[in-house]
Amino acid sequence: MQLALQLLLSGILLGGVYALAALGLNLIFGVAKIVNFAHGEFMMLGMYAGFWLMTLTGINPYWGSPLIAVAFFVVGAAFYWGVMRFTIYSTELTQVFATLGMSIALQNLALVMFSADYRTIQTMPDGRSSIDFGFVHLSSDRVIAFLFAIAIFVGVILFLRRTFTGRAIEAVSQDLMAARLMGINTQKIFLITFGLGIGITGVAGAVLVPSFYAFPSVGTFFVLIAFVVVVLGGLGSVTGTMIGGLSLGLIESYVGYFSPDLKEATHFILLILLLAVRPQGILGVKGAEKESLK
């Protein structure tokens, strides 16, 4: 009983982390129908932002997350305006090369600027690195990251459903041509979406750096997880992202305990099975994986 509860809670916390890591990717895909292969590198930069923020100024990345969100919103908007707006109506192959090229460029830029050293930070005072609930022990940083994930997901859902801009984003995601006919400035919506998606990704990296090491190629690990979560939960579905993240976290928690050698392989196996059996995911709309802006 104790072991089952420990694995359950650890899996839920890990799943929340994975969902937060994937939210920005799914948000951008849901609106622009672009798979951002540079997603992991933007998250890597978010991890470095959290690390350097605390190292240079002493500001905890949890408290500094609003500042990081604003900075990465600007980065995301610049990424769209400088790169993606020229490819958004192009073929899928052009979009892949554009985002993949940005991924390689950012990874090598981080290598030049920060070296290949593994970096992390300690945000909790000694003796408070874990939270004990009787016989269950949970990482304090994982608990805080999970709470951040819940808060961000609730905030995104409220933004999409309660604000004019949010409803415009949903309209563009559902039918681009109809949104244009209704007078919605789609270029503005794409810019806001990229800014919002990468802003969330930057915050995700910042709040995860106490739990994971930051290094230039860490994005390749997170981007695979993000793809699995997005495909599992449903392409373009915010709620599905949380469900997909929690599902993957629970699966990985139990598989990692009973067969540690298969823990990493779980991501590949799940991705292959999902693409073969249910490519639209749990809450995704059938055919969303084939949608085009044209």
Side-chain angles (χ1 to χ4, degrees), residues 31-32 73 76-78 80-81 85 88-89 159 164-166 168-169 172 176 180 183-196:
V31 178
F73 180 92
Y80 171 75
W81 192 255
R85 74 186 175 106
I88 198 162
Y89 297 111
F159 171 74
F164 176 80
T165 302
I169 289 174
V172 172
L176 177 65
R180 281 176 174 167
I184 295 175
N185 186 337
T186 54
Q187 289 291 340
K188 179 181 177 182
I189 294 301
F190 289 145
L191 185 141
I192 292 173
T193 301
F194 269 84
L196 184 61

Side-chain angles (χ1 to χ4, degrees), residues 116-275:
D117 294 340
Y118 283 52
R119 305 173 190 270
T120 190
I121 54 176
Q122 182 177 349
T123 57
M124 295 295 163
D126 293 338
R128 296 187 182 180
S129 59
S130 66
I131 300 175
D132 300 329
F133 297 98
F135 48 79
V136 177
H137 309 283
L138 303 174
S139 167
S140 299
D141 289 318
R142 291 282 177 88
V143 171
I144 294 174
F146 180 81
L147 294 176
F148 262 87
I150 297 297
I152 290 173
F153 269 86
V154 171
V156 169
I157 291 173
L158 290 176
F159 171 74
L160 293 176
R161 295 181 180 176
R162 301 291 178 86
T163 68
F164 176 80
T165 302
R167 290 194 292 269
I169 289 174
E170 288 197 318
V172 172
S173 71
Q174 292 172 13
D175 193 319
L176 177 65
M177 295 305 298
R180 281 176 174 167
L181 293 174
M182 294 298 103
I184 295 175
N185 186 337
T186 54
Q187 289 291 340
K188 179 181 177 182
I189 294 301
F190 289 145
L191 185 141
I192 292 173
T193 301
F194 269 84
L196 184 61
I198 292 177
I200 292 171
T201 302
V203 172
V207 302
L208 292 185
V209 72
S211 303
F212 297 88
Y213 285 104
F215 54 95
S217 60
V218 68
T220 57
F221 168 75
F222 280 110
V223 77
L224 172 62
I225 289 174
F227 282 143
V228 176
V229 170
V230 167
V231 174
L232 178 59
L235 296 165
S237 172
V238 174
T239 306
T241 304
M242 176 57 78
I243 294 175
L246 293 176
S247 301
L248 180 61
L250 289 169
I251 292 170
E252 186 174 315
S253 178
Y254 284 97
V255 171
Y257 176 79
F258 292 105
S259 182
D261 294 338
L262 291 178
K263 182 178 178 180
E264 298 297 331
T266 302
H267 305 150
F268 293 98
I269 295 171
L270 269 176
L271 185 60
I272 293 170
L273 289 176
L274 286 166
L275 290 174

Side-chain angles (χ1 to χ4, degrees), residues 29-165:
F29 175 83
V31 178
K33 304 301 181 287
I34 290 177
V35 178
N36 180 17
F37 283 90
H39 176 80
E41 277 57 50
F42 284 113
M43 189 164 181
M44 172 268 294
L45 292 179
M47 296 177 75
Y48 275 114
F51 171 82
W52 288 114
L53 183 65
M54 186 165 185
T55 302
L56 298 178
T57 68
I59 300 176
N60 191 306
Y62 302 134
W63 296 111
S65 57
L67 179 63
I68 293 172
V70 172
F72 274 79
F73 180 92
V74 174
V75 170
F79 174 52
Y80 171 75
W81 192 255
V83 179
M84 297 312 300
R85 74 186 175 106
F86 300 109
T87 65
I88 198 162
Y89 297 111
S90 302
T91 63
E92 288 82 358
L93 191 60
T94 302
Q95 296 167 356
V96 167
F97 280 129
T99 57
L100 192 58
M102 179 61 69
S103 169
I104 295 170
L106 291 177
Q107 191 173 134
N108 283 276
L109 179 64
L111 183 61
V112 171
M113 293 181 64
F114 308 129
S115 78
D117 294 340
Y118 283 52
R119 305 173 190 270
T120 190
I121 54 176
Q122 182 177 349
T123 57
M124 295 295 163
D126 293 338
R128 296 187 182 180
S129 59
S130 66
I131 300 175
D132 300 329
F133 297 98
F135 48 79
V136 177
H137 309 283
L138 303 174
S139 167
S140 299
D141 289 318
R142 291 282 177 88
V143 171
I144 294 174
F146 180 81
L147 294 176
F148 262 87
I150 297 297
I152 290 173
F153 269 86
V154 171
V156 169
I157 291 173
L158 290 176
F159 171 74
L160 293 176
R161 295 181 180 176
R162 301 291 178 86
T163 68
F164 176 80
T165 302

